[in-house]
């Protein structure tokens, strides 16, 4: 089983489970991730993504990658699954211990949040293998860290340490390995404490193309204005303000 799925009512943990090859992403894992995405699209929940062992994901399976041809490249095997993860309705959290390289880094980039350990290493060595980072890094990384640093990672093979990634906010937090999953759950707790539909629509509006604004914002707000949860939460807020201060 290349992907272990642990479900809860408001969240799901996906464990990349190929520790013997540092969780290299192969076709079987891609298929399992598609199946897991379908379940979360059907029942939206926060996703926590972690690697078994002391590696997040060391990249695509090089043995398989070496045999792929131009037809495989045009099929977008990895780019399609990472884009699907990026578009999931609720926030996604990558929990990075050890290397997140190549496709592993691109999987982390596709998530909404990234928490790492001091041992985390993030980079894209693809050009050293005669290929490019074609599953999102070539355009998504610049959005995350800015063009100069993105070019250094993509074109010169720079691998960021945990401290460097935290400094540029590619990592939201750095914790010790034993606290990694707990830190992910703490962030998930903060997310799930908020109105689920408001969270879903905020993520959708955030990623809408510039040309769609402000219309898409107004439509999403119109939907939320009609919900009972909006009225309940605002009433509770106003009631708390009426309480006498001690």
């Amino acid at each position: 089983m290349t992907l272990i799925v642990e479900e809860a009512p408001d969240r799901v943990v996906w464990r990349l489970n190929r520790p013997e090859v540092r969780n290299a992403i192969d076709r079987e894992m891609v298929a399992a991730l598609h199946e897991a995405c379908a379940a979360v699209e059907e029942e939206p929940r926060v996703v926590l993504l972690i690697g078994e062992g002391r590696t997040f994901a060391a990249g695509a399976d090089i043995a398989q990658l070496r045999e792929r041809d131009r037809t495989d490249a045009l099929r977008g095997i990895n780019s399609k699954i990472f884009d699907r993860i990026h578009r999931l309705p609720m926030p996604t959290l990558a929990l990075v211990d050890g290397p997140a390289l190549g496709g592993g880094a691109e999987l982390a980039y596709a998530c909404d949040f990234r928490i790492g350990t001091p041992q985390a290493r993030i980079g894209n060595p693809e050009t050293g293998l005669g290929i490019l980072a074609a599953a999102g890094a070539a355009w998504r990384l610049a959005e995350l860290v800015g063009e100069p640093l993105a070019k250094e990672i993509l074109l010169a093979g720079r691998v960021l340490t945990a401290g460097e990634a935290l400094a540029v906010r590619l990592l939201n937090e750095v914790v010790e390995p034993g606290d990694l999953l707990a830190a992910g759950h703490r962030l998930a707790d903060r997310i799930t404490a908020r109105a689920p539909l408001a969270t879903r629509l905020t993520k959708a509006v955030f990623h809408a193309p510039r040309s769609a604004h402000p219309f898409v914002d107004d439509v999403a707000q119109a939907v939320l204005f009609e919900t009972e949860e909006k009225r309940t939460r605002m009433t509770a807020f106003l009631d708390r303000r009426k309480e006498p201060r001690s």
Side-chain angles (χ1 to χ4, degrees), residues 158-172:
R158 179 173 174 179
V159 175
L160 298 184
T161 66
E164 291 169 334
L166 179 64
V168 296
R169 305 303 294 170
L170 186 59
L171 289 177
N172 298 92

Side-chain angles (χ1 to χ4, degrees), residues 3-236:
L3 185 70
I4 299 171
V5 177
E6 302 168 359
E7 301 195 47
D10 61 356
R11 70 196 65 181
V12 59
V13 178
W14 296 347
R15 293 182 179 271
L16 306 178
N17 188 37
R18 300 187 73 213
E20 71 283 358
V21 289
R22 299 197 300 170
N23 297 320
I25 300 167
D26 65 355
R27 288 177 183 268
E28 184 179 352
M29 185 180 287
V30 168
L33 286 168
H34 274 296
E35 185 176 339
C37 282
V40 173
E41 289 162 352
E42 180 70 21
E43 184 182 346
R45 284 161 290 169
V46 173
V47 173
L48 294 85
L49 186 56
I50 192 169
E52 284 291 283
R54 296 303 301 274
T55 302
F56 179 69
D61 189 305
I62 301 300
Q64 286 190 5
L65 204 59
R66 184 182 60 183
E67 303 307 316
R68 292 182 187 176
D69 57 20
R70 63 184 178 187
T71 301
D72 293 312
L74 292 172
R75 288 175 58 200
I77 295 169
N78 285 1
S79 62
K80 286 179 179 176
I81 184 56
F82 296 165
D83 191 57
R84 189 173 184 179
I85 290 169
H86 181 70
R87 295 176 184 276
L88 287 174
M90 289 290 281
T92 52
L93 291 65
L95 307 179
V96 181
D97 188 19
L101 301 173
E106 292 181 298
L107 174 55
Y109 303 156
C111 292
D112 297 298
F113 301 96
R114 287 156 294 278
I115 299 174
T117 70
Q119 292 74 38
R121 298 293 182 270
I122 304 174
N124 290 94
E126 281 88 344
T127 54
L129 296 170
I131 59 174
L132 62 86
W139 54 273
R140 189 173 281 139
L141 186 55
E143 296 178 352
L144 293 171
V145 302
E147 183 177 323
L149 181 56
K151 283 183 175 177
E152 195 171 348
I153 293 167
L154 293 168
L155 303 179
R158 179 173 174 179
V159 175
L160 298 184
T161 66
E164 291 169 334
L166 179 64
V168 296
R169 305 303 294 170
L170 186 59
L171 289 177
N172 298 92
E173 184 181 3
V174 174
V175 300
E176 291 302 316
D179 192 37
L180 184 58
L181 185 58
H185 280 298
R186 288 194 296 269
L187 180 52
D189 288 342
R190 289 165 53 193
I191 294 167
T192 56
R194 307 176 100 68
L197 183 58
T199 299
R200 288 180 59 184
L201 291 181
T202 298
K203 178 175 176 177
V205 168
F206 185 94
H207 289 297
R210 180 66 183 87
S211 60
H213 300 286
F215 178 73
V216 68
D217 309 61
D218 295 338
V219 170
Q221 192 74 297
V223 171
L224 293 170
F225 272 10
E226 296 299 314
T227 62
E228 184 60 32
E229 184 151 21
K230 168 250 188 180
R231 180 169 296 277
T232 300
R233 284 175 176 262
M234 288 191 175
T235 299

